PDB file of all heavy atoms in Angstrom:
ATOM      1  N   ASP W 113      74.999 -64.993  26.960  1.00 90.00           N
ATOM      2  CA  ASP W 113      73.738 -64.359  26.587  1.00 90.00           C
ATOM      3  C   ASP W 113      74.017 -63.079  25.816  1.00 90.00           C
ATOM      4  O   ASP W 113      75.150 -62.614  25.756  1.00 90.00           O
ATOM      5  CB  ASP W 113      72.879 -64.077  27.824  1.00 90.00           C
ATOM      6  CG  ASP W 113      73.458 -63.009  28.726  1.00 90.00           C
ATOM      7  OD1 ASP W 113      73.458 -61.825  28.335  1.00 90.00           O
ATOM      8  OD2 ASP W 113      73.907 -63.351  29.836  1.00 90.00           O
ATOM      9  N   SER W 114      72.968 -62.529  25.226  1.00 87.00           N
ATOM     10  CA  SER W 114      73.103 -61.310  24.429  1.00 87.00           C
ATOM     11  C   SER W 114      72.499 -60.096  25.125  1.00 87.00           C
ATOM     12  O   SER W 114      72.353 -59.050  24.506  1.00 87.00           O
ATOM     13  CB  SER W 114      72.428 -61.511  23.070  1.00 87.00           C
ATOM     14  OG  SER W 114      71.059 -61.830  23.260  1.00 87.00           O
ATOM     15  N   VAL W 115      72.149 -60.215  26.393  1.00 82.00           N
ATOM     16  CA  VAL W 115      71.589 -59.088  27.136  1.00 82.00           C
ATOM     17  C   VAL W 115      72.704 -58.064  27.351  1.00 82.00           C
ATOM     18  O   VAL W 115      73.758 -58.396  27.891  1.00 82.00           O
ATOM     19  CB  VAL W 115      71.004 -59.549  28.495  1.00 82.00           C
ATOM     20  CG1 VAL W 115      70.539 -58.357  29.311  1.00 82.00           C
ATOM     21  CG2 VAL W 115      69.875 -60.533  28.280  1.00 82.00           C
ATOM     22  N   PRO W 116      72.476 -56.811  26.904  1.00 79.00           N
ATOM     23  CA  PRO W 116      73.533 -55.804  27.065  1.00 79.00           C
ATOM     24  C   PRO W 116      73.779 -55.463  28.536  1.00 79.00           C
ATOM     25  O   PRO W 116      72.889 -55.582  29.372  1.00 79.00           O
ATOM     26  CB  PRO W 116      73.000 -54.579  26.314  1.00 79.00           C
ATOM     27  CG  PRO W 116      71.590 -54.864  25.955  1.00 79.00           C
ATOM     28  CD  PRO W 116      71.299 -56.295  26.244  1.00 79.00           C
ATOM     29  N   GLY W 117      74.989 -55.051  28.813  1.00 76.00           N
ATOM     30  CA  GLY W 117      75.331 -54.594  30.154  1.00 76.00           C
ATOM     31  C   GLY W 117      75.806 -55.696  31.069  1.00 76.00           C
ATOM     32  O   GLY W 117      75.760 -56.876  30.752  1.00 76.00           O
ATOM     33  N   GLN W 118      76.267 -55.261  32.220  1.00 70.00           N
ATOM     34  CA  GLN W 118      76.803 -56.158  33.235  1.00 70.00           C
ATOM     35  C   GLN W 118      75.709 -56.517  34.241  1.00 70.00           C
ATOM     36  O   GLN W 118      74.743 -55.772  34.394  1.00 70.00           O
ATOM     37  CB  GLN W 118      77.953 -55.464  33.977  1.00 70.00           C
ATOM     38  CG  GLN W 118      79.127 -55.107  33.096  1.00 70.00           C
ATOM     39  CD  GLN W 118      79.850 -56.340  32.602  1.00 70.00           C
ATOM     40  OE1 GLN W 118      80.182 -57.231  33.374  1.00 70.00           O
ATOM     41  NE2 GLN W 118      80.095 -56.409  31.303  1.00 70.00           N
ATOM     42  N   PRO W 119      75.872 -57.634  34.934  1.00 67.00           N
ATOM     43  CA  PRO W 119      74.913 -57.961  35.997  1.00 67.00           C
ATOM     44  C   PRO W 119      74.901 -56.843  37.041  1.00 67.00           C
ATOM     45  O   PRO W 119      75.921 -56.220  37.313  1.00 67.00           O
ATOM     46  CB  PRO W 119      75.459 -59.253  36.595  1.00 67.00           C
ATOM     47  CG  PRO W 119      76.371 -59.809  35.566  1.00 67.00           C
ATOM     48  CD  PRO W 119      76.911 -58.639  34.798  1.00 67.00           C
ATOM     49  N   ASP W 120      73.743 -56.605  37.617  1.00 60.00           N
ATOM     50  CA  ASP W 120      73.549 -55.526  38.572  1.00 60.00           C
ATOM     51  C   ASP W 120      73.410 -56.095  39.975  1.00 60.00           C
ATOM     52  O   ASP W 120      72.492 -56.863  40.249  1.00 60.00           O
ATOM     53  CB  ASP W 120      72.287 -54.742  38.190  1.00 60.00           C
ATOM     54  CG  ASP W 120      72.034 -53.549  39.081  1.00 60.00           C
ATOM     55  OD1 ASP W 120      73.009 -52.981  39.615  1.00 60.00           O
ATOM     56  OD2 ASP W 120      70.858 -53.196  39.248  1.00 60.00           O
ATOM     57  N   ARG W 121      74.339 -55.731  40.856  1.00 56.00           N
ATOM     58  CA  ARG W 121      74.282 -56.199  42.242  1.00 56.00           C
ATOM     59  C   ARG W 121      73.369 -55.273  43.033  1.00 56.00           C
ATOM     60  O   ARG W 121      73.563 -54.078  43.077  1.00 56.00           O
ATOM     61  CB  ARG W 121      75.675 -56.221  42.862  1.00 56.00           C
ATOM     62  CG  ARG W 121      75.684 -56.768  44.294  1.00 56.00           C
ATOM     63  CD  ARG W 121      77.076 -56.784  44.873  1.00 56.00           C
ATOM     64  NE  ARG W 121      77.970 -57.666  44.150  1.00 56.00           N
ATOM     65  CZ  ARG W 121      78.111 -58.972  44.403  1.00 56.00           C
ATOM     66  NH1 ARG W 121      77.401 -59.533  45.352  1.00 56.00           N
ATOM     67  NH2 ARG W 121      78.956 -59.691  43.705  1.00 56.00           N
ATOM     68  N   ARG W 122      72.376 -55.868  43.670  1.00 58.00           N
ATOM     69  CA  ARG W 122      71.444 -55.101  44.491  1.00 58.00           C
ATOM     70  C   ARG W 122      71.764 -55.321  45.959  1.00 58.00           C
ATOM     71  O   ARG W 122      72.285 -56.353  46.339  1.00 58.00           O
ATOM     72  CB  ARG W 122      70.014 -55.522  44.195  1.00 58.00           C
ATOM     73  CG  ARG W 122      69.632 -55.221  42.761  1.00 58.00           C
ATOM     74  CD  ARG W 122      68.191 -55.487  42.520  1.00 58.00           C
ATOM     75  NE  ARG W 122      67.916 -55.388  41.095  1.00 58.00           N
ATOM     76  CZ  ARG W 122      66.912 -55.991  40.520  1.00 58.00           C
ATOM     77  NH1 ARG W 122      66.081 -56.726  41.222  1.00 58.00           N
ATOM     78  NH2 ARG W 122      66.720 -55.852  39.235  1.00 58.00           N
ATOM     79  N   ASP W 123      71.405 -54.353  46.751  1.00 65.00           N
ATOM     80  CA  ASP W 123      71.661 -54.436  48.185  1.00 65.00           C
ATOM     81  C   ASP W 123      70.476 -55.101  48.876  1.00 65.00           C
ATOM     82  O   ASP W 123      69.650 -54.439  49.510  1.00 65.00           O
ATOM     83  CB  ASP W 123      71.903 -53.035  48.751  1.00 65.00           C
ATOM     84  CG  ASP W 123      72.428 -53.076  50.171  1.00 65.00           C
ATOM     85  OD1 ASP W 123      72.994 -54.115  50.562  1.00 65.00           O
ATOM     86  OD2 ASP W 123      72.259 -52.078  50.883  1.00 65.00           O
ATOM     87  N   VAL W 124      70.377 -56.428  48.704  1.00 55.00           N
ATOM     88  CA  VAL W 124      69.282 -57.211  49.279  1.00 55.00           C
ATOM     89  C   VAL W 124      69.893 -58.337  50.103  1.00 55.00           C
ATOM     90  O   VAL W 124      70.767 -59.069  49.630  1.00 55.00           O
ATOM     91  CB  VAL W 124      68.391 -57.817  48.166  1.00 55.00           C
ATOM     92  CG1 VAL W 124      67.333 -58.726  48.756  1.00 55.00           C
ATOM     93  CG2 VAL W 124      67.761 -56.728  47.327  1.00 55.00           C
ATOM     94  N   ALA W 125      69.438 -58.478  51.323  1.00 58.00           N
ATOM     95  CA  ALA W 125      69.929 -59.558  52.179  1.00 58.00           C
ATOM     96  C   ALA W 125      69.380 -60.899  51.688  1.00 58.00           C
ATOM     97  O   ALA W 125      68.233 -60.988  51.242  1.00 58.00           O
ATOM     98  CB  ALA W 125      69.500 -59.317  53.621  1.00 58.00           C
TER      99      ALA W 125
END
Side-chain angles (χ1 to χ4, degrees):
D113 68 70
S114 59
V115 175
Q118 298 292 311
D120 183 29
R121 183 180 297 273
R122 297 187 189 156
D123 191 22
V124 175

